[in-house]
Amino acid sequence: MVESDEEYAPDASDDDLDAHQVSTKGGSARANRQIESAFNEVRRTWEEVEEGEDGTITKTIDSLLQQGKRKRTLKDTTPLQRGIIRHLIIILDLSAAMTEKDLRPTRYLLTIRYCQDFITEFFEQNPISQIGIIGMRDGLAVRVSDMSGNPSDHISNLQSLRKDDPRGQPSLQNALDMARAALFHAPSHGTREILLLFGSLLSSDPGDIHTTISSLVASKINTTVIGLSAQVAICLTLVKRTNPHSNPQKHYNVALDEVNYRELIMRLATPPEAHTQQATSTVDSNASSLLMMGFPSRVIDPKPSLCACHSRPTSGGYLCSRCSSKVCSLPTTCPACSLTLILSTHLARSYHHLFPLQNWSTVPWSHAMSTAHKHKSVCFGCQAPFPIHPLRSATQILKATLPTKPAFSDARNAESASTEPSMAHLSRPRADSVSRRKRDEDQTISESGRYACGSCEEFFCVDCDAFCHEIVHNCPGCLSREGEIMARNEGSLQNGAAPEGMEGLVMNGERG
């Protein structure tokens, strides 16, 4: 029997299928066109790599690194009312679908690693918040970690999951019911959130899941879903009903690769916006506007004593300012009197979400080389030197390499100037196509390597830009100016003069 080299056409008509026929040249041509179109959609990254003036691709690599740092830095800096006291439940998919290796090494191990990084970043930005972890396995919901504000306990519980293998089917309804029960006693002044990391395409539920979703809506619980396989209809319904005031695309996304998966998870470390209908609803919101907190001091006992949180013998800890019970770490809730115990630094770290640091603008060469800013040749933060203007450096090189010409008459000079190429044309940089790239169109990367603060007008490098917006959340130039003003005011007070900006106030009761 002769083997057929013809291909089966999946889009054949019903008559062809009934006659058990295969496609001929037409089907093969359609398949070739589909393959060709799919190949053309692939991004050819090797075509974007351009050589610099020195013949290397160092400039392209540096531009890609700066683009990544700048992308993390640029955020929406609109001052909004946000819930800085958060109560978050993370639901992990521990079913057999997490054994897939489309995300390396596996979905299961990558999710555990990213969750550990997320918990560290979450408590770094939300120190007075709490997290709980729930897993879905064998059609049941298992409690991985209880609701608490200690990141060490959550990370250790996540590491213990590496010993077990994912198995069975997930039960979304059971996990949501357990998450709702854990958030039921959360105070009204904090947010109630659920983060679902869902890798399966089905849910093995014992009852009607729409009833559970209605219970979540009644409890004012917001849900965010990150899918690992494809978009699931019930997850989209869950997101739409629990986030009625937001775009569903902000709360339901499918991870494309490992990098995108991490970005989607880390994006949730920022506190969510508080909508007006939730903030100004009833008199209860006015009653909960003030929150009682305790600021305990650290003590070291000469002999170990039991702590009230874990009942373990410890020599150091913090004493509750109300009942004097000892707890191991802060922030936490006193197990005896239920008072929220924090440090003043925790409130300071949560404050920057309400008044974020403004994005710094890019500085073009025309502005960087102006007379007012020409002296700013180093970064104000780290004192690293800024790059030199490419036209100026190329002109210096050409002047050093080209031979000096003897003096001619004015006519010969004019004739030589018209026939020979100009110095500006020779010194033009080779990478002119960089301006046609998308990153230059969006003005995300500075061509001069300088980024200016809109308040103090100081120049910073891209590393200081990322450090100030991600870690410090303050501008060194603005803080230094405030220090100078305070120092001048203290000196003026000692000399008996009016402080800066205080000339119009009452001085010794003589002027109003």
Side-chain angles (χ1 to χ4, degrees):
M1 182 177 178
V2 181
E3 295 182 357
S4 176
D5 58 349
E6 297 173 340
E7 299 178 359
Y8 177 76
D11 55 346
S13 61
D14 296 337
D15 297 333
D16 294 334
L17 295 176
D18 295 337
H20 300 284
Q21 296 179 356
V22 296
S23 63
T24 55
K25 297 181 180 180
S28 178
R30 282 194 298 270
N32 293 333
R33 285 196 299 269
Q34 292 177 359
I35 296 174
E36 184 178 358
S37 61
F39 179 77
N40 292 332
E41 292 178 357
V42 176
R43 182 182 177 186
R44 301 179 180 181
T45 55
W46 57 88
E47 295 181 354
E48 298 181 1
V49 178
E50 299 178 359
E51 292 184 0
E53 297 178 355
D54 54 353
T56 62
I57 61 174
T58 306
K59 185 176 181 180
T60 303
I61 295 176
D62 294 340
S63 300
L64 294 176
L65 293 176
Q66 291 186 14
Q67 185 179 8
K69 295 177 182 179
R70 189 66 174 167
K71 185 179 179 182
R72 298 195 312 267
T73 302
L74 292 177
K75 297 179 181 178
D76 186 11
T77 58
T78 305
L80 298 173
Q81 182 179 359
R82 298 181 181 272
I84 60 176
I85 302 178
R86 307 173 62 184
H87 301 85
L88 175 65
I89 295 293
I90 303 177
I91 300 179
L92 303 178
D93 190 354
L94 308 180
S95 63
M98 299 296 288
T99 58
E100 296 291 336
K101 296 184 178 180
D102 50 354
L103 299 177
R104 296 292 181 179
T106 60
R107 295 180 182 176
Y108 182 71
L109 297 177
L110 187 66
T111 300
I112 293 176
R113 190 179 73 185
Y114 283 173
C115 282
Q116 295 177 5
D117 298 340
F118 170 73
I119 289 173
T120 303
E121 182 68 19
F122 180 86
F123 284 105
E124 195 67 31
Q125 299 191 26
N126 308 272
I128 56 178
S129 302
Q130 294 184 355
I131 281 182
I133 305 176
I134 296 175
M136 297 182 295
R137 175 187 295 159
D138 291 333
L140 301 174
V142 294
R143 189 179 301 276
V144 179
S145 182
D146 294 330
M147 179 78 71
S148 69
N150 191 355
S152 301
D153 295 341
H154 299 308
I155 294 177
S156 61
N157 292 331
L158 284 174
Q159 290 177 352
S160 63
L161 292 178
R162 296 178 177 271
K163 303 176 183 178
D164 302 331
D165 294 331
R167 61 180 184 272
Q169 299 294 339
S171 178
L172 188 57
Q173 183 183 11
N174 292 333
L176 292 177
D177 286 334
M178 183 177 290
R180 176 177 171 270
L183 296 172
F184 181 77
H185 297 286
S188 58
H189 58 261
T191 63
R192 301 178 181 180
E193 307 170 50
I194 293 178
L195 171 60
L196 174 61
L197 304 179
F198 199 60
S200 181
L201 295 176
L202 54 91
S203 176
S204 179
D205 300 324
D208 187 6
I209 191 174
H210 293 278
T211 305
T212 303
I213 296 177
S214 301
S215 302
L216 296 177
V217 175
S219 301
K220 297 181 181 179
I221 298 176
N222 299 326
T223 307
T224 302
V225 181
I226 298 178
L228 303 182
S229 297
Q231 192 176 81
V232 184
I234 190 60
C235 294
L236 183 60
T237 303
L238 172 65
V239 168
K240 287 183 177 179
R241 294 193 58 187
T242 55
N243 302 279
H245 307 290
S246 302
N247 188 1
Q249 296 181 356
K250 293 179 58 178
H251 299 276
Y252 188 20
N253 296 275
V254 179
L256 303 179
D257 50 19
E258 293 85 351
V259 178
N260 182 248
Y261 187 23
R262 181 183 175 84
E263 292 177 355
L264 293 176
I265 294 179
M266 292 302 175
R267 190 173 61 183
L268 299 175
T270 304
E273 304 174 6
H275 299 283
T276 55
Q277 296 184 3
Q278 297 178 357
T280 59
S281 57
T282 59
V283 185
D284 297 336
S285 62
N286 297 327
S288 61
S289 58
L290 296 178
L291 178 62
M292 185 175 294
M293 292 184 177
F295 297 88
S297 58
R298 182 171 177 81
V299 295
I300 299 177
D301 299 330
K303 296 181 180 180
S305 59
L306 296 179
C307 65
C309 50
H310 302 95
S311 297
R312 299 174 184 173
T314 57
S315 58
Y318 299 87
L319 294 181
C320 176
S321 55
R322 175 187 289 174
C323 63
S324 299
S325 299
K326 189 174 75 171
V327 295
C328 297
S329 60
L330 298 178
T332 186
T333 302
C334 179
C337 62
S338 300
L339 179 65
T340 303
L341 304 177
I342 62 172
L343 295 175
S344 59
T345 55
H346 295 152
L347 283 180
R349 281 158 54 188
S350 302
Y351 185 76
H352 71 269
H353 291 295
L354 303 179
F355 300 95
L357 180 62
Q358 297 296 321
N359 293 327
W360 294 344
S361 59
T362 58
V363 181
W365 280 117
S366 58
H367 185 63
M369 303 306 295
S370 61
T371 306
H373 303 284
K374 193 175 182 180
H375 63 282
K376 300 178 181 179
S377 59
V378 296
C379 173
F380 185 83
C382 63
Q383 300 297 312
F386 287 126
I388 306 175
H389 196 287
L391 295 179
R392 177 169 297 183
S393 60
T395 304
Q396 293 175 356
I397 295 175
L398 287 174
K399 286 182 178 180
T401 55
L402 292 178
T404 58
K405 297 181 179 180
F408 293 100
S409 62
D410 296 338
R412 291 187 178 183
N413 287 336
E415 183 180 358
S416 62
S418 61
T419 56
E420 294 180 359
S422 61
M423 185 71 67
H425 177 73
L426 291 175
S427 60
R428 185 175 302 157
R430 209 173 139 190
D432 289 338
S433 60
V434 177
S435 60
R436 296 191 298 268
R437 290 187 180 182
K438 183 178 180 180
R439 61 175 178 268
D440 290 330
E441 295 176 357
D442 297 338
Q443 296 295 325
T444 57
I445 297 180
S446 175
E447 60 181 1
S448 63
R450 297 165 172 83
Y451 300 90
C453 174
S455 300
C456 62
E457 298 183 354
E458 297 291 347
F459 292 169
F460 299 89
C461 62
V462 65
D463 295 325
C464 290
D465 185 11
F467 179 74
C468 293
H469 283 84
E470 295 178 357
I471 307 298
V472 183
H473 302 288
N474 284 288
C475 175
C478 298
L479 293 179
S480 62
R481 285 195 171 188
E482 292 180 1
E484 294 175 359
I485 294 175
M486 293 177 62
R488 285 198 298 266
N489 290 341
E490 291 178 357
S492 60
L493 288 175
Q494 293 177 359
N495 298 329
E500 183 177 346
M502 304 283 289
E503 293 82 358
L505 299 181
V506 177
M507 297 296 294
N508 296 328
E510 299 178 357
R511 188 172 53 177

